[in-house]
Amino acid sequence: TLPQERRKHEEAAQEKIEYHDGKIEEVLSDGRRILTFHDGTKKEISADKRMTTISFSNGDVKKIMPDQRVIYYYADAQTTHTAYPDGLEVLQFPNNQIEKHYPDGTQEIVFPDHTVKCLYSDGLKETFFPDGTVVKVEKNGDKIVVFSDGQREIHTAQFRRREYPDGTVKTVFCNGRQETKYSTGQVQIKDEEGNLILDKK
């Protein structure tokens, strides 16, 4: 307890002002100022006046940093919101999910499993999975899936197509017709019932 007592003694208020509205202002020996409001909110201003910490009675804490970052901790949600001077905003959730909101409207979400989802202001959505799979969804709904083994899948309103690393391309059209083009040049077309209607080698 000796070091704690010494610390308390060093932090002793050199000056204490009590205002009519119930606010108390203390100037500590190290130059910090602490304002305590009647509702229990405390505002601490660093000696150099470059950092401010506001502790609210509900447990929330707001820090204004020397580099102009504003860090707000929401106690109930256990979430931290950091606003940077350049407009970037970062939210950190208790499950380790992190969201970044960029000034251009882009959002980046990092999920606890390390999946990353990017939402762009032009409507494009990209998701990067830990296994290397990438899914892109265009504003019009077209989807491109790139698998870590090199396969690609394209989904549009007209067709679904899978492209294999060996050059084979299989397309299923919205009417059910299937077309397979092999890397050898062979082409097979099946009707919506799966009957072979063309096999060109």
Side-chain angles (χ1 to χ4, degrees), residues 152-154 159-164 167-173 178-182 188 190:
R152 283 170 42 105
E153 222 173 75
I154 300 162
F159 63 83
R160 284 180 171 222
R161 175 178 295 146
R162 185 168 281 234
E163 300 170 357
Y164 297 87
T168 300
V169 177
K170 185 173 185 174
T171 306
V172 178
F173 295 91
Q178 298 175 33
E179 180 181 284
T180 307
K181 293 179 182 177
Y182 296 93
Q188 280 188 345
K190 294 179 180 177

Side-chain angles (χ1 to χ4, degrees), residues 20-39:
H20 296 295
D21 61 4
K23 179 174 70 177
I24 298 167
E25 183 176 353
E26 295 174 281
V27 180
L28 304 183
S29 54
D30 64 7
R32 286 180 297 144
R33 291 178 113 65
I34 298 177
L35 294 136
T36 306
F37 298 87
H38 70 302
D39 66 357

Side-chain angles (χ1 to χ4, degrees), residues 49-190:
K49 295 182 175 59
R50 295 183 66 221
M51 186 168 152
T52 303
T53 303
I54 303 165
S55 303
F56 297 95
S57 54
N58 66 356
D60 289 6
V61 178
K62 179 180 180 179
K63 290 183 180 184
I64 302 164
M65 307 302 282
D67 62 6
Q68 298 307 303
R69 275 180 303 145
V70 177
I71 302 168
Y72 196 104
Y73 176 74
Y74 295 91
D76 281 351
Q78 297 179 354
T79 300
T80 302
H81 175 260
T82 305
Y84 292 84
D86 65 1
L88 171 66
E89 293 186 36
V90 179
L91 289 148
Q92 292 174 283
F93 297 94
N95 67 351
N96 292 326
Q97 179 174 315
I98 296 170
E99 284 185 21
K100 294 180 181 179
H101 298 252
Y102 294 90
D104 68 359
T106 301
Q107 289 183 40
E108 180 184 292
I109 304 162
V110 182
F111 295 95
D113 69 354
H114 304 293
T115 297
V116 178
K117 188 173 199 169
C118 297
L119 311 168
Y120 300 97
S121 52
D122 64 1
L124 173 69
K125 296 175 188 165
E126 279 185 305
T127 307
F128 303 87
F129 293 93
D131 69 357
T133 302
V134 178
V135 177
K136 291 182 184 184
V137 180
E138 302 285 346
K139 189 179 182 178
N140 66 3
D142 290 358
K143 185 198 292 191
I144 299 169
V145 182
V146 181
F147 297 94
S148 54
D149 65 2
Q151 292 186 45
R152 283 170 42 105
E153 222 173 75
I154 300 162
H155 300 210
T156 70
Q158 294 77 36
F159 63 83
R160 284 180 171 222
R161 175 178 295 146
R162 185 168 281 234
E163 300 170 357
Y164 297 87
D166 69 357
T168 300
V169 177
K170 185 173 185 174
T171 306
V172 178
F173 295 91
C174 59
N175 64 5
R177 195 176 65 122
Q178 298 175 33
E179 180 181 284
T180 307
K181 293 179 182 177
Y182 296 93
S183 53
T184 59
Q186 179 183 354
V187 177
Q188 280 188 345
I189 298 176
K190 294 179 180 177

